[in-house]
Amino acid sequence: MSSIWNNRISISIFGETKGPAIGITIDNLPSGEYISTDELSAFMTRGNSKIMGDSSYQNRPLPHIMSGIVNNKTTGMPLCAFLQNCSRTSSPQAPLSPLPRTGHADYTGAARYKGFCDVINSDRTADRFTLPLCFAGAVCGQILQRRGIYTGAHILSIHNIKDNPFDPVNVSRDAVLSIRKKDFPVINDRKGWLMTEDIKHAAESGESLGGVIECAAVNVPAGIGSPVFDGLENNIAQLIFGIPGISGLEFGSGFTAAKMLGSQNNDDYYVNDHGYILTKTNHHGGVLGGLSSGMPVTLNVAVKPPMLSADLKESPINTSEACIVPKLVSCVESAVNIALLSHMLDYPNFC
């Protein structure tokens, strides 16, 4: 099992669903960076508990930092943190069905690991990756923000209900930060209310819903990344697809560009009043040839509906189990933060 991502910054995730703790080690962070524990706490407890009926994120203890930070400053040594595993249970487990569950990794995991994979509580194994990822993303995000780079995400759609999208050309720092303060991360609060009602109705009928998360990173300077196999898009995609439940990813106009004429998809350059070279539109999503263009980096991430077992479908389920889109908003931000900081380390005069 690959639990290590290594690209300038290295993250290694450890622990099991049934174990007492899960954790992460982050290597090659720049030294002397101030890390606010209050900001870490705020980022880690995002998860819509008030609206979605899920208190697990709010009640989760803060990560226990074992190394890498002294007096709130990074030391340059590997940053290791333990997170209490709230998914752990000591109650007896029901006998496993001889048939693999629909939509789960029971069969593929058994085929790969010859029946020895961790299948206990496998419907909650998302915590094993998403919580350490959010911790790493929160740390990287603070380092980026002190360079003026801000990443934010919101729920673009759930089922057939759509939120207002970011302005791909003029999305601002304030627009990104304002969503973080909301219990339900949408731009249009009325659309957010309709989404929560749709999720509740689905839960009452034993169904589940998917959706799309839109993410934007602003003030990313031009020239961040690398061509071909080590591009900025490549690294973001690798981290995004490590998040459980992700089924698709597009940058900028994405698949819509396939329906456009070349003249419609082109982003013409101009020089603004401050002497910066920008584009009038942003169909390319802020990345060209694996390198940032200086425009906002924009991407959409598709999240599939959670797979519900037969016993859950027989009675109403918790709304937080009927749709995982709200929980993954901060995970998408984290993936982008990690990839951006990894490439920013190569940027002149970054450290």
Side-chain angles (χ1 to χ4, degrees):
M1 179 179 293
S2 177
S3 298
I4 300 174
W5 185 83
N6 185 22
N7 195 313
R8 301 166 191 85
I9 288 176
S10 173
I11 59 174
S12 176
I13 295 171
F14 56 89
E16 294 179 325
T17 306
K18 59 187 177 183
I22 49 182
I24 185 168
T25 299
I26 314 170
D27 203 358
N28 205 31
L29 289 173
S31 60
E33 297 288 341
Y34 177 76
I35 303 298
S36 166
T37 54
D38 289 339
E39 290 183 28
L40 277 178
S41 174
F43 196 97
M44 295 292 293
T45 53
R46 289 166 60 189
N48 317 297
S49 61
K50 294 180 182 178
I51 293 178
M52 302 301 295
D54 180 13
S55 61
S56 62
Y57 280 65
Q58 293 285 356
N59 297 330
R60 190 179 302 279
L62 282 175
H64 183 57
I65 297 174
M66 305 294 292
S67 65
I69 294 180
V70 175
N71 296 326
N72 295 104
K73 294 285 187 74
T74 57
T75 64
M77 299 298 288
L79 196 169
C80 180
F82 282 81
L83 304 97
Q84 183 176 333
N85 196 345
C86 293
S87 296
R88 187 188 185 193
T89 177
S90 58
S91 58
Q93 300 294 321
L96 293 175
S97 168
L99 294 176
R101 294 171 300 168
T102 303
H104 288 74
D106 298 349
Y107 171 71
T108 53
R112 172 65 177 84
Y113 297 105
K114 304 186 183 341
F116 291 98
C117 59
D118 177 17
V119 295
I120 298 177
N121 275 349
S122 59
D123 56 328
R124 292 188 179 273
T125 55
D127 275 5
R128 182 183 180 274
F129 183 82
T130 57
L131 290 174
L133 179 75
C134 284
F135 175 81
V139 171
C140 293
Q142 289 192 38
I143 296 174
L144 288 170
Q145 285 178 188
R146 291 186 178 86
R147 273 77 175 179
I149 300 171
Y150 294 84
T151 302
H154 72 110
I155 301 170
L156 182 61
S157 68
I158 287 180
H159 200 197
N160 294 317
I161 303 170
K162 297 181 179 180
D163 188 23
N164 301 341
F166 283 135
D167 182 334
V169 176
N170 299 307
V171 59
S172 66
R173 165 188 175 274
D174 292 338
V176 162
L177 293 180
S178 63
I179 301 174
R180 294 185 187 176
K181 301 176 182 178
K182 296 186 177 184
D183 292 323
F184 197 80
V186 290
I187 297 173
N188 187 323
D189 292 332
R190 180 179 176 276
K191 295 295 182 69
W193 179 83
L194 292 174
M195 290 177 187
T196 58
E197 289 299 303
D198 198 18
I199 294 171
K200 290 176 183 176
H201 293 155
E204 290 169 358
S205 60
E207 265 298 351
S208 61
L209 302 175
V212 176
I213 296 169
E214 183 183 33
C215 185
V218 300
N219 300 330
V220 179
I224 302 300
S226 183
V228 194
F229 297 123
D230 194 25
L232 182 57
E233 293 163 308
N234 307 46
N235 294 151
I236 291 174
Q238 191 175 28
L239 288 161
I240 290 287
F241 279 111
I243 301 172
I246 301 303
S247 61
L249 170 64
E250 62 179 4
F251 289 85
S253 295
F255 285 98
T256 304
K259 303 176 183 179
M260 295 180 178
L261 298 173
S263 57
Q264 295 173 320
N265 188 55
N266 286 345
D267 297 310
D268 294 330
Y269 289 100
Y270 76 101
V271 180
N272 70 3
D273 295 337
H274 301 285
Y276 292 106
I277 298 175
L278 301 173
T279 58
K280 296 178 181 179
T281 52
N282 192 19
H283 298 300
H284 65 283
V287 185
L288 289 168
L291 301 159
S292 60
S293 67
M295 296 297 290
V297 176
T298 62
L299 56 142
N300 291 337
V301 179
V303 182
K304 63 184 179 181
M307 300 299 175
L308 303 177
S309 57
D311 57 333
L312 287 176
K313 290 187 177 182
E314 294 176 359
S315 60
I317 61 174
N318 191 297
T319 52
S320 65
E321 295 176 324
C323 183
I324 61 173
V325 176
K327 289 183 178 180
L328 298 188
V329 170
S330 56
C331 297
V332 171
E333 286 183 30
S334 296
V336 175
N337 281 338
I338 296 167
L340 275 174
L341 182 58
S342 175
H343 280 288
M344 284 294 295
L345 294 180
D346 288 340
Y347 199 71
N349 303 320
F350 177 79
C351 296

